[in-house]
Amino acid sequence: MTADNDLEIKEAFQRAQKSHSNKAKLAASLKSRYNKLEDKTPFHEEFIHYLKYAMIIYKREPAVEHIIDFVTKFAVSFEATGGEGQEEEEEEEQEDDHPFLSFLFTFLLESHNANSHAVRFRVCQLINKLLGSMSENAQIDDDLFDQIHETMLIRVTDKFPNIRIQAALAMARLQEPQNPDCPTMKAYMLILENDSNPEVRRAVLSCIAPSVISLPKILKRTRDVKERVRKLAYEVLAEKVHMRALTIAQRVSLLQQGLHDPSEVVKDVVKSKLLPAWLRLVDGKVLDLLHKLDVENFTEITSEVLHALFSRVGSLEELQQEGLSLDERKLIPVEALTCENVLYWRALCEFVKEKGDQGEEILEQLIPEAVIFAEYLYGYLKSIPMLGQDQMADDQQLDMVLSKEFIGKQLILLVGCLDTAEEGGRKRVLAVLQEMLVLPNTPISLISLLVERLMNMLKDDDRRIQVIAEIISEVREPIVHVSEPIDENENRRIRVKLAEGKVQIMEAKQALEDAISAQDFGRAAELKDRISELEGAQAQLVAEAAQPSNREKEVRVEKSSLSDSTSTWAQSVLNGENSFTESDPETLLKCLTMFVEVMKQMNIKKSISPAINALIESLVLPSIANPNTAVRNVAVTCLGTCALHSKDFANRHLVLLLQISQLDEPKVRINAVRALIDQLLLNGLDIVGQSTKAPDDSDADAASPAGEVESEDGQSTVQSILTMLADFLDSEDTELRTEVAEGLAKLMYCGRISSPKLLSRLLLLWYNPVTEDDTKLRHCLGVFLQLYARESRAHQDRIEESFLPTIRTLIQAPATSPLAEVDSANVAELLIELTRPSILNRPVKDAALQGLSAHDSLAVRLCDEILRDPKAPEVRLYTKCLSCLELSAEDGPHRSDLLLLLKEVQEEVKNKVCLRVLEKMTSRLKCESKKNPTLPDTTLQALDENTGDVDDLNTKRPRRGGRTKPAAGKARKGSKARESSEESDEENIPDTPVVQRPSRRGKAAPADKTKQDLSTLLDQEANGS
């Protein structure tokens, strides 16, 4: 090769660095020169020589990127000239036809294991661009394919995120989605599951092929902790995954998570990409989309989907024309009602009503007048059949009834969109709602909605109670018609009178004839009137005799009495005897549901009226002893709701609630526990007192002997309640245990109770492996601990008091106990983080506590615990905890006392490791001054943060000791700072002062700084060349 050729290659690389250069033209010119050469080896070597200058630069400089693009175009131009549709003979010689392409791949594959991360990055980047730029039906040699595959599988485990990204992208065309043993698919799924860098996960998401194998992993990324990963996951699902590939539960879960995502960007992607993509798959038919989401079982999320679709459409008339078919009455014909179109109707009306005055005109076109809709609703609800036991076994009939109930619910909800300003329509709607509550065939599932709509139309609480009391009375004691048999003596009397009347009429007629014959016309006129009277009386008797033997009578009776023997029951009613038979469960459930709904709608400050008290005595309390579990459950809810309105009522029935919470069925016990916790939240520990003041009020009533006895009884009752609740934390019933734990967390956070022992129990319950599958419990306690510790200094003091009892329980746990598996060091680290003064949301206002912190008190406790037994195994844990404390920097008596304690501890402890830690802590305390406060050694991580993502930890000290607890929010081991996807390997040195106490990070800092300087020099040298 001549010198001119050398200049042309160098010139091509120099011109390729400029952004305005035509790289395709440069590649074609260089290729033309290459094709003229007979010996291509010198060209290959010279080309690689100039390429190496770009490959040693890690930073994404524009000039370097232009060179990479030029090299890609030049190399791929040989693959393009090979022609498509080659014969098998030509394919076998393909490698010989493109020696440059094969040579370049060989060079890159040999360089992938270089020590320089910049070279490894550029190798993966070039392979990615080369494979991505090849034609769709391009083919490469099998051996070369295997080499690329193996190389990229190694590089996807590189420690630099950028290299892993390029390697993952390079394998995109090497994957076999349908092959369960495909190593690329396995590597992709492993990265999606475990890679700590979000950009790497995004890169894999962008290139992984959706399949039965990979789809679950893609779906899981919609719950990723990083917003950008979640956003891309939804975009991939919208563009690459057909809706049919997802089950109904998966579709609903995707929409629910996306529409409730904390990030507005993710919400917008779901609304603007995922929903429109699914809508296109059903030809834009919203009702078909609703059908694929199962509106009956997922009503709430499908309503949100409709609102999202409505919000993105400019014209509401267009939506009306597409989804609704209203008749001239502005109603959907009853025979055309389906679950989908009635939900669409309701959601559209609610959406338009939310627009206020702007949507008033459109709303008038969507829904009729109140009177018309009331009759429509009444007619439909009356048509819902009641199924017997035999019919309930028929799945088809059961599904039909459930669908009708769902449609009925939506129609009832539509009542809220009606214009009830007109008095006539308002009265008719009220009448229909009341009639539907009285009808025996109204399903219990609709009672709550009917009562809620009725209460919304009745604003006065007294009027509400009166209406509901009348309805309950009508339901429990309906007016029925009974037959009353006629007495035989009465029949005989009527027949005798008929006979006497006939005789009298015959005698009167004979006397009339005689008077006429005698021409006594005055007498004849009197007899004629007499005969008319007798005939009238005779006709009346004949009519009475012609009546049936039984006569009907209206009687108000208890509903369950109708099931008794007709003759026996009717005879008892007619004889005036009272019927005390027990009401049937369906009727009681309906009445109790109405009662509890009206109590929920009432103002909590309104006391119990005589009408409510009468309902409690006649309905609620008798239902507590009902053998039906569902009836007892609703009755307990009623009892707890009433107790919120009257403290005296709560005191009277407190013992009853306690008994139910201990003796009844699990479901009923949970309801009783909720009622007790509500009482404690509302009234505090003064639940059994006469005063509504908090127990710590300074102006309490003067203590009298009777008052002292009453106070002692009240304290013992409250103590027994708390003891019972604490015992429930060990219950085998998961729901009961979770409900009690949540209730105690609420009580402690609100300040109603303050108990280090209970706090210790909750901590141990959170760590206990038994509760690992109880997601709700773990999430509830995780959020509670974080919020509780940050709320106030008093809360931190309670956590500090629970430190030693918790650690002792873990250390002394027998081998058979699940607590033996818990890492006590990890628990201690969490408690130290929760008691740091730097995490408080509000500064300490108490002047007496401003100089001290919870860690100062904890340090004294730990020293005392070490002195109790200096040779105990847990001394090493305690000394480690001492070194992690964030002690106050102010000099004072507490500092002197702590130094004396530390000196005494050093004299007693013999362990060398512990002594070193104690000496360092002592020297640190002596050297600290008020101007340089102690920096926190560690910082509390968010309790719900994913353990895999530890970005931006440059300023945080790595955690040491203790295995990581998998539950969200626990203290975790740190990891060294990592580079973001667009950075080099230069670490960002923290701006904050270095902690005086030596640490492993201090040892690693010089090496990191040296690495940073060398990288800078390498970049400068490469650019200068």
Side-chain angles (χ1 to χ4, degrees):
M1 182 178 292
T2 64
D4 293 339
N5 291 333
D6 292 340
L7 291 174
E8 289 179 1
I9 296 175
K10 182 177 180 180
E11 183 181 359
F13 272 87
Q14 288 177 343
R15 293 172 58 185
Q17 297 181 47
K18 304 182 185 303
S19 59
H20 61 269
S21 62
N22 190 333
K23 298 177 182 57
K25 187 175 181 180
L26 286 175
S29 177
L30 194 60
K31 180 183 176 184
S32 176
R33 175 63 60 184
Y34 176 81
N35 290 334
K36 295 177 181 179
L37 298 175
E38 294 182 0
D39 185 9
K40 297 178 173 54
T41 302
F43 183 92
H44 294 166
E45 294 175 355
E46 195 72 18
F47 192 91
I48 294 301
H49 171 74
Y50 289 109
L51 177 61
K52 287 180 179 178
Y53 285 101
M55 292 182 63
I56 62 175
I57 300 176
Y58 182 74
K59 193 174 181 180
R60 304 293 290 269
E61 294 287 352
V64 179
E65 297 301 317
H66 294 327
I67 290 178
I68 297 297
D69 293 338
F70 163 70
V71 172
T72 302
K73 287 183 180 296
F74 178 69
V76 173
S77 65
F78 292 99
E79 184 270 337
T81 59
E84 299 181 2
Q86 291 179 333
E87 301 295 336
E88 293 183 2
E89 295 83 4
E90 295 176 343
E91 291 177 0
E92 294 176 357
E93 299 177 359
Q94 185 178 4
E95 186 176 354
D96 297 332
D97 292 340
H98 312 297
F100 179 80
L101 191 58
S102 300
F103 175 78
L104 182 59
F105 270 120
T106 303
F107 165 74
L108 294 174
L109 293 174
E110 290 174 352
S111 306
H112 85 92
N113 207 22
N115 291 333
S116 172
H117 61 279
V119 175
R120 299 198 305 272
F121 170 71
R122 296 301 177 182
V123 166
C124 295
Q125 184 186 25
L126 272 170
I127 293 178
N128 171 34
K129 287 183 175 292
L130 287 171
L131 293 178
S133 300
M134 289 183 176
S135 60
E136 186 176 351
N137 57 351
Q139 297 182 3
I140 60 176
D141 184 71
D142 290 343
D143 294 336
L144 180 59
F145 178 91
D146 294 337
Q147 292 177 17
I148 296 174
H149 208 172
E150 293 172 2
T151 301
M152 294 300 101
L153 286 175
I154 295 173
R155 294 277 65 86
V156 291
T157 60
D158 198 282
K159 65 178 181 179
F160 286 88
N162 279 346
I163 300 175
R164 299 201 300 272
I165 290 173
Q166 295 299 326
L169 295 174
M171 291 195 300
R173 299 191 68 175
L174 308 180
Q175 58 184 321
E176 301 176 59
Q178 304 303 326
N179 182 9
D181 299 324
C182 175
T184 300
M185 297 298 294
K186 290 183 178 179
Y188 277 170
M189 290 187 288
L190 188 65
I191 292 172
L192 286 177
E193 191 74 22
N194 300 315
D195 199 292
S196 59
N197 190 281
E199 294 302 320
V200 180
R201 300 197 296 272
R202 289 185 73 248
V204 173
L205 270 178
S206 66
C207 60
I208 189 172
S211 65
V212 177
I213 304 171
S214 61
L215 185 57
K217 302 297 182 183
I218 298 175
L219 292 174
K220 194 172 183 180
R221 286 309 98 203
T222 60
R223 301 186 295 275
D224 197 279
V225 295
K226 295 298 180 181
E227 170 190 310
R228 298 182 65 189
V229 180
R230 298 197 303 273
K231 175 177 176 290
L232 182 60
Y234 279 107
E235 291 175 349
V236 169
L237 290 170
E239 297 170 3
K240 299 181 180 180
V241 180
H242 197 284
M243 186 167 50
R244 293 178 181 175
L246 304 171
T247 63
I248 292 178
Q250 288 173 334
R251 298 169 197 163
V252 173
S253 177
L254 278 176
L255 294 173
Q256 187 170 16
Q257 294 165 10
L259 294 175
H260 294 99
D261 196 276
S263 170
E264 292 296 330
V265 176
V266 178
K267 291 180 183 178
D268 187 65
V269 168
V270 175
K271 296 177 182 178
S272 62
K273 293 188 177 181
L274 185 63
L275 282 176
W278 286 2
L279 199 58
R280 285 193 297 270
L281 294 176
V282 292
D283 300 328
K285 298 179 180 178
V286 182
L287 297 183
D288 290 347
L289 177 61
L290 293 179
H291 182 70
K292 295 184 180 298
L293 297 179
D294 191 6
V295 297
E296 292 186 60
N297 296 318
F298 304 102
T299 308
E300 184 177 353
I301 186 60
T302 48
S303 299
E304 294 178 6
V305 167
L306 288 173
H307 279 256
L309 292 174
F310 297 156
S311 62
R312 302 189 67 84
V313 176
S315 174
L316 294 176
E317 291 82 355
E318 181 182 350
L319 291 174
Q320 176 187 354
Q321 294 173 1
E322 290 182 1
L324 289 178
S325 298
L326 301 178
D327 57 16
E328 64 280 357
R329 299 178 302 164
K330 304 175 187 176
L331 296 171
I332 300 177
V334 175
E335 61 276 5
L337 279 173
T338 63
C339 297
E340 290 78 18
N341 63 15
V342 72
L343 177 66
Y344 184 92
W345 189 20
R346 191 262 296 178
L348 182 58
C349 291
E350 291 179 349
F351 180 79
V352 173
K353 188 175 182 180
E354 290 174 359
K355 299 295 182 180
D357 296 337
Q358 298 178 358
E360 185 176 354
E361 183 178 350
I362 301 175
L363 185 61
E364 292 179 357
Q365 302 174 7
L366 294 175
I367 197 166
E369 296 179 357
V371 175
I372 298 175
F373 187 83
E375 298 299 333
Y376 177 75
L377 174 64
Y378 183 72
Y380 186 83
L381 294 183
K382 282 187 66 176
S383 66
I384 300 178
M386 294 181 63
L387 297 182
Q389 293 296 332
D390 297 337
Q391 294 174 322
M392 293 286 287
D394 189 350
D395 293 340
Q396 186 175 0
Q397 291 191 13
L398 184 60
D399 291 342
M400 183 267 295
V401 172
L402 291 177
S403 297
K404 282 183 170 291
E405 288 184 13
F406 176 82
I407 294 173
K409 286 182 182 179
Q410 305 309 311
L411 294 177
I412 295 171
L413 290 172
L414 267 172
V415 173
C417 299
L418 295 175
D419 182 12
T420 55
E422 195 268 323
E423 187 65 22
R426 178 184 176 85
K427 287 184 176 180
R428 184 54 189 155
V429 172
L430 285 172
V432 166
L433 293 176
Q434 296 180 45
E435 290 177 20
M436 291 312 306
L437 288 172
V438 175
L439 281 179
N441 64 329
T442 302
I444 295 178
S445 59
L446 302 181
I447 296 298
S448 298
L449 281 176
L450 289 169
V451 175
E452 181 183 351
R453 291 304 173 195
L454 183 61
M455 296 299 102
N456 289 339
M457 299 184 71
L458 300 173
K459 303 302 181 182
D460 183 58
D461 285 340
D462 294 330
R463 175 62 179 160
R464 291 173 173 178
I465 297 169
Q466 179 185 354
V467 170
I468 291 299
E470 292 175 356
I471 294 174
I472 290 176
S473 175
E474 183 66 23
V475 171
R476 294 198 71 193
E477 299 178 357
I479 297 176
V480 297
H481 297 276
V482 297
S483 298
E484 181 181 2
I486 300 177
D487 191 10
E488 285 296 328
N489 295 328
E490 183 69 17
N491 289 335
R492 189 179 301 107
R493 183 184 63 79
I494 292 174
R495 289 197 296 269
V496 170
K497 284 187 175 182
L498 282 172
E500 291 178 351
K502 288 181 180 181
V503 172
Q504 291 176 359
I505 290 173
M506 292 175 64
E507 291 178 349
K509 287 182 178 181
Q510 185 62 39
L512 178 60
E513 291 177 358
D514 295 340
I516 293 174
S517 301
Q519 295 185 354
D520 188 356
F521 298 108
R523 174 67 177 165
E526 292 177 0
L527 290 173
K528 189 175 182 181
D529 294 337
R530 174 64 176 166
I531 292 171
S532 298
E533 293 176 2
L534 291 174
E535 287 179 349
Q538 188 75 359
Q540 185 177 357
L541 291 172
V542 170
E544 291 181 7
Q547 289 181 355
S549 58
N550 294 333
R551 290 182 294 181
E552 291 186 351
K553 179 181 179 181
E554 289 187 353
V555 181
R556 183 179 291 276
V557 296
E558 194 169 351
K559 185 177 178 181
S560 63
S561 302
L562 298 174
S563 60
D564 297 343
S565 174
T566 304
S567 59
T568 305
W569 167 79
Q571 187 64 38
S572 64
V573 172
L574 293 173
N575 292 340
E577 298 175 1
N578 293 326
S579 174
F580 296 98
T581 56
E582 189 177 8
S583 297
D584 58 292
E586 291 78 10
T587 302
L588 287 177
L589 276 176
K590 181 182 289 189
C591 297
L592 290 169
T593 304
M594 287 188 280
F595 181 77
V596 74
E597 287 298 326
V598 73
M599 294 302 296
K600 289 179 181 178
Q601 296 289 334
M602 279 176 52
N603 190 336
I604 195 170
K605 296 182 179 180
K606 184 174 179 59
S607 60
I608 296 179
S609 63
I612 296 177
N613 197 37
L615 287 174
I616 293 173
E617 296 294 334
S618 62
L619 176 64
V620 177
L621 293 179
S623 299
I624 294 290
N626 195 284
N628 187 282
T629 304
V631 173
R632 293 201 308 276
N633 192 34
V634 182
V636 170
T637 305
C638 295
L639 196 66
T641 309
C642 294
L644 297 176
H645 291 266
S646 171
K647 189 176 179 182
D648 294 336
F649 180 87
N651 291 339
R652 291 199 305 270
H653 299 90
L654 181 63
V655 177
L656 178 59
L657 287 174
L658 288 172
Q659 292 176 349
I660 295 172
S661 62
Q662 293 176 334
L663 304 176
D664 214 314
E665 297 288 334
K667 187 177 181 181
V668 185
R669 292 174 63 192
I670 292 173
N671 237 347
V673 167
R674 287 175 184 163
L676 289 172
I677 292 174
D678 287 344
Q679 282 300 311
L680 290 172
L681 285 171
L682 183 64
N683 299 316
L685 300 184
D686 196 28
I687 185 175
V688 294
Q690 295 298 325
S691 173
T692 58
K693 298 177 183 178
D696 56 348
D697 274 351
S698 58
D699 55 346
D701 294 336
S704 61
E708 291 177 0
V709 174
E710 183 180 350
S711 177
E712 292 177 359
D713 292 342
Q715 291 178 0
S716 62
T717 304
V718 172
Q719 188 67 30
S720 64
I721 294 174
L722 295 179
T723 303
M724 180 194 70
L725 294 176
D727 292 340
F728 285 160
L729 293 177
D730 299 326
S731 173
E732 295 181 358
D733 191 312
T734 305
E735 293 183 6
L736 178 61
R737 182 179 61 203
T738 302
E739 192 67 36
V740 172
E742 183 179 355
L744 289 175
K746 291 178 181 178
L747 291 170
M748 296 185 73
Y749 182 76
C750 295
R752 290 303 188 182
I753 58 176
S754 179
S755 171
K757 291 184 179 180
L758 279 179
L759 185 59
S760 177
R761 291 287 301 274
L762 294 179
L763 276 165
L764 294 173
L765 185 64
W766 190 37
Y767 272 95
N768 198 323
V770 175
T771 64
E772 187 172 358
D773 297 330
D774 194 346
T775 308
K776 182 180 178 181
L777 175 66
R778 288 286 180 100
H779 177 72
C780 172
L781 292 179
V783 174
F784 158 71
L785 289 173
Q786 183 185 26
L787 297 178
Y788 183 76
R790 294 173 182 268
E791 182 65 22
S792 69
R793 165 66 191 279
H795 290 177
Q796 286 192 338
D797 290 341
R798 301 293 82 75
I799 298 175
E800 179 259 323
E801 292 172 13
S802 67
F803 183 95
L804 288 178
T806 304
I807 299 300
R808 287 187 194 131
T809 304
L810 293 174
I811 293 174
Q812 298 172 5
T816 56
S817 172
L819 293 176
E821 304 176 15
V822 180
D823 186 3
S824 56
N826 188 263
V827 179
E829 189 175 359
L830 171 67
L831 293 174
I832 290 173
E833 297 295 342
L834 293 177
T835 50
R836 287 195 182 279
S838 57
I839 70 170
L840 285 172
N841 293 331
R842 293 174 293 181
V844 179
K845 296 182 179 181
D846 191 348
L849 298 176
Q850 285 183 355
L852 296 175
S853 67
H855 276 193
D856 293 324
S857 302
L858 183 58
V860 175
R861 288 181 185 271
L862 289 173
C863 290
D864 291 340
E865 188 68 18
I866 293 174
L867 291 173
R868 286 180 57 188
D869 188 1
K871 298 181 180 179
E874 57 268 20
V875 169
R876 190 166 183 175
L877 171 62
Y878 294 149
T879 54
K880 180 184 175 182
C881 293
L882 281 171
S883 67
C884 297
L885 295 179
E886 184 181 335
L887 302 175
S888 58
E890 297 182 5
D891 293 331
H894 66 278
R895 176 63 63 88
S896 303
D897 295 342
L898 182 58
L899 287 172
L900 291 175
L901 272 174
L902 287 173
K903 183 178 180 181
E904 186 177 352
V905 170
Q906 292 178 37
E907 294 174 356
E908 297 293 333
V909 174
K910 305 302 180 184
N911 187 286
K912 294 182 179 180
V913 177
C914 297
L915 283 174
R916 268 198 307 272
V917 173
L918 293 170
E919 290 171 359
K920 291 178 181 179
M921 183 177 179
T922 303
S923 62
R924 185 182 66 177
L925 288 175
K926 291 180 179 179
C927 294
E928 285 175 349
S929 63
K930 296 181 180 180
K931 295 182 179 180
N932 297 312
T934 304
L935 293 174
D937 293 329
T938 55
T939 50
L940 181 64
Q941 300 297 317
L943 290 184
D944 288 327
E945 188 178 358
N946 189 313
T947 57
D949 293 273
V950 286
D951 292 339
D952 302 329
L953 293 182
N954 296 348
T955 61
K956 299 178 183 178
R957 183 180 65 84
R959 305 284 177 85
R960 304 193 308 276
R963 61 181 178 85
T964 302
K965 189 73 179 177
K970 297 200 167 98
R972 298 179 292 273
K973 292 183 181 179
S975 63
K976 67 178 182 179
R978 306 188 329 273
E979 296 77 27
S980 66
S981 59
E982 296 300 326
E983 293 177 334
S984 67
D985 63 338
E986 300 175 1
E987 293 191 5
N988 295 326
I989 304 301
D991 295 332
T992 54
V994 181
V995 180
Q996 293 181 5
R997 183 173 63 83
S999 65
R1000 295 179 185 175
R1001 186 181 66 177
K1003 298 177 181 178
D1008 294 340
K1009 185 176 181 181
T1010 304
K1011 186 189 299 182
Q1012 177 184 4
D1013 295 338
L1014 289 176
S1015 300
T1016 306
L1017 291 174
L1018 182 62
D1019 290 344
Q1020 293 175 355
E1021 189 175 307
N1023 292 332
S1025 62

